[in-house]
Amino acid sequence: MIVTPQKARFTEPLRLTGGAVLPEFEIAYETYGELNAARSNAVLVCHALNASHHVAGTYADAPDNLGWWDNMVGPGKPLDTNRFFVVGNNYIGSCFGSTGPTSPNPATGKPWGADFPVVTVEDWVAAQARLADHLGIERFAAVMGGSLGAMQALQWTLSYPGRVRHAIVIAATPRLSAQNIAFNEVARQAIMTDPDFHGGHYYEKGVVPVRGLRIARMIGHITYLSDDAMMEKFGRVLRRVTPGFDFDVDFEIESYLRHQGDKFSSYFDANTYLRITKALDYYDPAADFGGDLSKAFARAQADFLVVSFTSDWRFSSARSRDIVRALLDNRRILSYLEIDAPQGHDAFLLDDPRYFAALRAYFGNIAL
Amino acid sequence: MIVTPQKARFTEPLRLTGGAVLPEFEIAYETYGELNAARSNAVLVCHALNASHHVAGTYADAPDNLGWWDNMVGPGKPLDTNRFFVVGNNYIGSCFGSTGPTSPNPATGKPWGADFPVVTVEDWVAAQARLADHLGIERFAAVMGGSLGAMQALQWTLSYPGRVRHAIVIAATPRLSAQNIAFNEVARQAIMTDPDFHGGHYYEKGVVPVRGLRIARMIGHITYLSDDAMMEKFGRVLRRVTPGFDFDVDFEIESYLRHQGDKFSSYFDANTYLRITKALDYYDPAADFGGDLSKAFARAQADFLVVSFTSDWRFSSARSRDIVRALLDNRRILSYLEIDAPQGHDAFLLDDPRYFAALRAYFGNIAL
């Protein structure tokens, strides 16, 4: 499936949760399949931390560049693009084409950099609603995401209850725990204390806070995998014949983490990383309801599919059950799957047959 | 209880596991209670990452400087110094008085710094055996430790089976998992990529890799607490009236971590941190036995008390059960306690009444 990324430009200012105003913005997106005449078959796919609008397929000029959820989305796949019109989008504040810290600030003509405001999950959803308007989609058949993407799916049911029929909420939490925030804060501190960060104004210095980004990514990777999965994959296997008694790579896991850190720091924007982790930290739909998630979801109208993975310790199944309880309190129509998968948080990207069969069945039952 | 730290100097070279030789070394230590005439009541206490030989009591000139395990060790306490002669010691390679990277290298007269060799748990125990000789202790009534200290207690039963009657092994693992190594590697990378690290030769530059040490400590702290304990202690409580939509401290947990990181980086030596984490990574008594822990413990002669804590995800109870199984395979006399405590790895330092009652009973049953 060959796809072409597109951009939509929005010139009406967007007032953000934090009070700042984006005078104008762009959203990078891709679509797969055809919007039907009734405009009833659109599915919005929301991405997590380091992914993008490139959900499925490849590009004509880059046949190896496969979308990040290509196993899930495409012709004949669980989210079948022969039946659904799927929209991938890059949220604002990211660094893959939508307006973010690397974009030009209209007030100065130079990149926003440190001056780009902190955006929230609610802001992402508000911007996505503009994209829906642009595409002529009044109501999505479904909004779907994993991890941070799942927060967007949840928020759609709260910001625009009438515009989403099904929310598909995978490997989610309704709000970060103190431990989740703690990991984010360490990553932010690693970036912000890197001497090449320059208070976020590193573009004009011609440098990148590579050291901080490496550390941030290494920490992230540890939380994406379960202890058991990491032991299964890397064990205590040495990269050398014997221990080196120095500080070069001894164990496979060290080599893997350094490689992941190096790769990430070569393409990801540090100002974006800071803002995404803040959006995660802040997200709490129950905050305006005295912490009561059931009250927060009283205005939701969608049906829900909630999926969690037993070995996910980043956003554990207990957090998905918090969501399920709040939805049951509101008598929402609901399916909940707790998949016994060993891979940790990353399981949501892998094609466990039970997980994929359930998604296929769920989408198959959505009337168009 | 007023105590006085002491030092013992050893001029016979110590050949280390990694092949290097320490031409001479010192061990900082403290003692509490009196060695009995039969020299049968000595207990060696081993410390974890950032503690020291100052296990109990205070100093005459620093009445607020309470030993790190003062709730456990002292007159009338679970390890009762009216009955036992307790020895606290700082392992070599540390930075609290025993020979380590901050000590003068006899070959140059300048601090060892980056040239200080990587030491292992086995090396620590070999150096502690010299201290036992120095104190006239042929055989310890017990060797005791938590976390990294527990690895030393385990290793005593393997390096000197005839010199330890009881090993008290708390919050332990017989070897690090890939995830444990991963966290250590991120901490090391944070330190080593700090521009103020200078390849470990920062003393002569008059700087300290404060940024890296901060990050290392913040990561460590997250792994010492359980997710639940952190949520209980900090929750999602803000330090400000409303979210700041910037990168100053929003949540209590951020403030706590920054404070812990700042404090640690003001007193802990970076070269020491690197070496301790390597000692942790390398430790694996089963490595010479094809990974078979039961074979590794065949030469142990001690009785064992093994204690783990249900909410410890750094060194989970499953790892203590690995030790217990290996000991049972060898028909060692053994007690195992799995304490249902919420505080995570840090629980070993806290005075849970069941934990302390069990330790008191165990020590009470040791014949002198």
Side-chain angles (χ1 to χ4, degrees):
Chain A
M1 185 168 63
I2 305 288
V3 295
T4 307
Q6 300 173 69
K7 279 196 190 183
R9 180 164 199 83
F10 303 92
T11 52
E12 193 182 327
L14 182 68
R15 175 167 292 276
L16 303 172
T17 313
V21 174
L22 268 189
E24 55 181 28
F25 63 97
E26 288 186 321
I27 293 183
Y29 69 98
E30 293 179 5
T31 67
Y32 321 93
E34 298 294 330
L35 188 60
N36 64 11
R39 298 176 177 271
S40 64
N41 70 334
V43 174
L44 181 69
V45 174
C46 303
H47 69 80
L49 198 139
N50 72 319
S52 73
H53 49 286
H54 186 36
V55 173
T58 59
Y59 297 141
D61 59 354
D64 293 339
N65 186 354
L66 200 63
W68 59 271
W69 221 352
D70 189 78
N71 55 2
M72 177 71 82
V73 179
K77 299 194 176 165
L79 175 45
D80 188 348
T81 53
N82 290 328
R83 188 157 178 261
F84 289 98
F85 174 65
V86 177
V87 181
N89 80 100
N90 185 217
Y91 49 66
I92 56 171
S94 182
C95 53
F96 296 113
S98 293
T99 296
T102 60
S103 309
N105 179 346
T108 65
K110 290 193 292 185
W112 279 94
D115 298 326
F116 194 83
V118 170
V119 291
T120 63
V121 173
E122 289 84 344
D123 297 332
W124 292 339
V125 167
Q128 286 161 349
R130 300 267 191 101
L131 178 64
D133 296 341
H134 171 80
L135 295 172
I137 299 163
E138 170 51 31
R139 198 173 182 214
F140 283 109
V143 178
M144 175 190 196
S147 189
L148 182 45
M151 288 176 168
Q152 296 162 62
L154 282 178
Q155 187 56 36
W156 261 93
T157 72
L158 301 177
S159 293
Y160 304 101
R163 297 190 71 174
V164 49
R165 290 196 283 142
H166 296 269
I168 298 172
V169 175
I170 305 171
T173 184
R175 53 191 165 214
L176 295 200
S177 70
Q179 187 188 76
N180 295 146
I181 295 172
F183 279 120
N184 281 346
E185 171 64 2
V186 181
R188 281 191 296 265
Q189 287 293 310
I191 290 170
M192 290 164 59
T193 63
D194 184 327
D196 286 335
F197 181 62
H198 295 290
H201 297 287
Y202 47 88
Y203 313 114
E204 52 210 76
K205 306 275 182 183
V207 293
V208 168
V210 167
R211 288 167 289 228
L213 278 168
R214 279 181 87 235
I215 297 298
R217 185 59 166 175
M218 292 169 89
I219 294 169
H221 255 283
I222 297 174
T223 69
Y224 305 151
L225 299 175
S226 70
D227 189 16
D228 286 346
M230 215 180 241
M231 202 63 192
E232 179 74 26
K233 191 168 175 186
F234 304 104
R236 295 182 47 87
V237 176
L238 291 171
R239 293 273 292 184
R240 314 197 255 204
V241 177
T242 55
F245 295 98
D246 58 26
F247 300 100
D248 288 342
V249 165
D250 271 309
F251 295 95
E252 286 283 359
I253 180 64
E254 295 172 294
S255 172
Y256 171 80
L257 286 178
R258 290 188 193 189
H259 174 71
Q260 293 295 336
D262 289 341
K263 198 168 70 172
F264 186 73
S265 66
S266 73
Y267 73 83
F268 205 86
D269 176 60
N271 280 321
T272 293
Y273 201 93
L274 296 181
R275 280 156 182 77
I276 294 176
T277 57
K278 269 292 175 190
L280 272 162
D281 289 1
Y282 283 151
Y283 189 59
D284 183 2
D288 290 339
F289 297 88
D292 186 333
L293 210 54
S294 296
K295 287 183 182 155
F297 277 97
R299 66 187 189 280
Q301 298 172 21
D303 298 349
F304 286 80
L305 170 62
V306 178
V307 183
S308 72
F309 301 92
T310 50
S311 60
D312 183 350
W313 62 278
R314 181 180 171 86
F315 297 159
S316 73
S317 288
R319 300 289 78 77
S320 283
R321 280 183 243 122
D322 292 342
I323 297 169
V324 167
R325 254 189 304 273
L327 296 172
L328 289 176
D329 285 344
N330 288 291
R331 299 174 178 273
R332 300 313 321 148
I333 295 175
L334 165 76
S335 302
Y336 175 48
L337 282 173
E338 195 168 311
I339 303 277
D340 182 17
Q343 303 95 345
H345 192 60
D346 266 359
F348 90 84
L349 294 166
L350 305 174
D351 59 353
D352 179 282
R354 295 157 302 175
Y355 165 44
F356 269 41
L359 268 287
R360 183 182 294 277
Y362 194 90
F363 280 114
N365 284 331
I366 294 180
L368 301 187
Chain B
M1 185 166 66
I2 306 288
V3 296
T4 309
Q6 301 174 70
K7 279 196 188 183
R9 180 164 200 82
F10 303 94
T11 52
E12 193 181 328
L14 182 68
R15 175 166 292 278
L16 303 172
T17 313
V21 173
L22 268 190
E24 56 182 24
F25 64 98
E26 287 186 322
I27 294 184
Y29 69 98
E30 293 179 7
T31 68
Y32 321 92
E34 299 294 328
L35 188 61
N36 63 10
R39 299 175 176 272
S40 65
N41 70 334
V43 175
L44 181 70
V45 174
C46 303
H47 70 81
L49 197 139
N50 73 319
S52 74
H53 49 287
H54 186 35
V55 173
T58 60
Y59 298 140
D61 60 353
D64 292 340
N65 186 353
L66 201 64
W68 59 271
W69 222 352
D70 189 79
N71 56 3
M72 177 71 83
V73 178
K77 297 192 177 165
L79 175 45
D80 188 348
T81 52
N82 290 328
R83 189 157 178 260
F84 289 99
F85 175 65
V86 177
V87 181
N89 80 100
N90 185 219
Y91 49 66
I92 57 172
S94 181
C95 53
F96 297 112
S98 292
T99 297
T102 61
S103 310
N105 179 346
T108 64
K110 291 194 290 186
W112 280 94
D115 298 326
F116 195 83
V118 170
V119 291
T120 64
V121 173
E122 289 84 345
D123 297 331
W124 292 339
V125 167
Q128 287 161 347
R130 300 267 191 101
L131 178 65
D133 296 342
H134 172 79
L135 296 172
I137 299 162
E138 170 52 31
R139 197 174 184 213
F140 282 108
V143 178
M144 176 189 196
S147 188
L148 183 45
M151 287 176 168
Q152 295 162 62
L154 280 178
Q155 187 56 37
W156 261 93
T157 73
L158 301 177
S159 291
Y160 304 102
R163 298 191 70 174
V164 49
R165 288 196 285 141
H166 296 269
I168 298 173
V169 175
I170 304 170
T173 184
R175 52 192 167 215
L176 295 200
S177 70
Q179 186 189 75
N180 294 145
I181 296 172
F183 279 120
N184 281 345
E185 172 65 1
V186 181
R188 281 192 296 265
Q189 287 294 310
I191 290 170
M192 290 164 59
T193 62
D194 185 327
D196 286 335
F197 180 63
H198 296 289
H201 297 286
Y202 48 88
Y203 313 113
E204 54 210 74
K205 306 276 183 183
V207 292
V208 168
V210 167
R211 290 167 287 229
L213 278 167
R214 278 181 89 236
I215 297 298
R217 185 58 166 175
M218 292 169 89
I219 294 169
H221 255 282
I222 297 174
T223 69
Y224 304 151
L225 299 176
S226 70
D227 189 15
D228 287 347
M230 216 180 239
M231 202 62 190
E232 179 74 26
K233 191 169 176 182
F234 304 104
R236 295 180 49 86
V237 176
L238 290 171
R239 294 272 292 182
R240 314 196 256 205
V241 178
T242 55
F245 296 99
D246 57 25
F247 301 100
D248 288 342
V249 165
D250 271 309
F251 295 95
E252 286 283 359
I253 180 65
E254 296 173 294
S255 172
Y256 171 80
L257 285 179
R258 290 189 193 187
H259 174 71
Q260 293 295 336
D262 290 341
K263 200 168 70 171
F264 186 73
S265 67
S266 73
Y267 73 83
F268 206 87
D269 177 61
N271 281 320
T272 292
Y273 201 93
L274 296 180
R275 280 157 183 77
I276 294 176
T277 56
K278 268 292 174 187
L280 273 163
D281 289 0
Y282 283 151
Y283 189 59
D284 184 1
D288 290 340
F289 298 88
D292 186 333
L293 210 55
S294 297
K295 285 183 182 155
F297 277 96
R299 66 187 189 279
Q301 298 172 20
D303 298 349
F304 286 80
L305 171 62
V306 177
V307 182
S308 72
F309 301 92
T310 48
S311 60
D312 183 351
W313 63 279
R314 180 181 172 87
F315 297 160
S316 73
S317 287
R319 299 290 79 76
S320 282
R321 281 184 241 122
D322 291 342
I323 297 170
V324 167
R325 253 188 305 273
L327 295 172
L328 289 175
D329 286 344
N330 287 292
R331 300 174 178 272
R332 300 313 322 149
I333 295 176
L334 165 75
S335 302
Y336 174 49
L337 283 172
E338 196 168 310
I339 303 278
D340 182 15
Q343 303 95 346
H345 192 59
D346 265 359
F348 89 85
L349 294 166
L350 304 174
D351 59 352
D352 179 282
R354 295 158 302 176
Y355 166 43
F356 269 41
L359 268 287
R360 183 182 294 277
Y362 193 90
F363 279 115
N365 285 331
I366 294 180
L368 301 186

